[in-house]
Amino acid sequence: KDVIPPVEHPMVEKEGYLQKAKIADGGKKLRKNWSTSWIVLSGQKIEFYKDSKQQALPNTKARHKAESVDLCGAQIEWAKEKSSRKSVFQITTASGNEFLLQSDIDFIILDWFHAIKNAIDRLPKN
Ligand code: I3P
């Protein structure tokens, strides 16, 4: 029997649920609206899905529904002043999209911060 390689989700480095709020799109401020998001970090991008089941959909359909964030030239920083919640960090993309990510569980948010920071630091700054 042929072995089918896992081509659908190459290079996934980290995935899991976090609280997410997109607060700007292309530099334009958005109304903050927190929701739970299934987050997939791979190579030079992060994808935001509604839940883990959505990620498992056939590739094109899932791609269509996910929001994909290019980490090339992005910035990440803790953003204490941007929320009343604890442990919030912000990702700002080169295109001017801003996302807040948050978890009440310290080690989870710390792991994510460092994983995303490492990914950004590996990439060319443009
Ligand atoms: C926002 C909502 C957010 C809150 C935000 C409020 O109200 O309560 O949860 O952010 O605070 O404006 P609404 O739903 O009416 O838009 P945090 O939970 O992060 O504090 P903010 O305006 O101080 O960002």
Side-chain angles (χ1 to χ4, degrees):
K1 253 191 179 172
D2 291 341
V3 177
I4 300 164
V7 287
E8 272 182 57
H9 310 298
M11 293 185 344
V12 170
E13 287 176 40
K14 190 168 175 60
E15 55 190 1
Y17 286 106
L18 289 178
Q19 296 300 308
K20 182 200 79 169
K22 187 175 184 178
I23 58 168
D25 187 276
K28 192 172 173 283
K29 291 287 170 203
L30 297 174
R31 180 171 167 191
K32 191 197 275 169
N33 185 17
W34 287 103
S35 64
T36 304
S37 185
W38 176 253
I39 303 189
V40 179
L41 170 66
S42 51
Q44 62 168 56
K45 67 177 191 302
I46 295 176
E47 286 165 319
F48 296 120
Y49 296 90
K50 257 193 162 139
D51 53 46
S52 60
K53 281 187 232 110
Q54 193 187 52
Q55 185 200 8
L57 290 172
N59 221 354
T60 49
K61 208 169 174 182
R63 282 297 102 79
H64 182 69
K65 287 195 172 181
E67 173 156 28
S68 185
V69 174
D70 182 5
L71 291 177
C72 235
Q75 290 177 298
I76 183 171
E77 60 194 350
W78 293 103
K80 225 182 163 77
E81 73 291 350
K82 298 266 178 100
S83 176
S84 61
R85 299 177 175 214
K86 66 174 264 185
S87 306
V88 176
F89 65 77
Q90 177 171 333
I91 299 168
T92 306
T93 67
S95 60
N97 293 346
E98 298 174 11
F99 301 91
L100 299 180
L101 295 175
Q102 189 265 342
S103 168
D104 286 334
I105 303 165
D106 290 341
F107 80 87
I108 289 180
I109 199 71
L110 275 171
D111 278 0
W112 271 104
F113 182 87
H114 291 299
I116 296 170
K117 190 173 178 355
N118 285 341
I120 289 172
D121 289 346
R122 276 200 310 265
L123 294 167
K125 300 282 171 287
N126 285 335

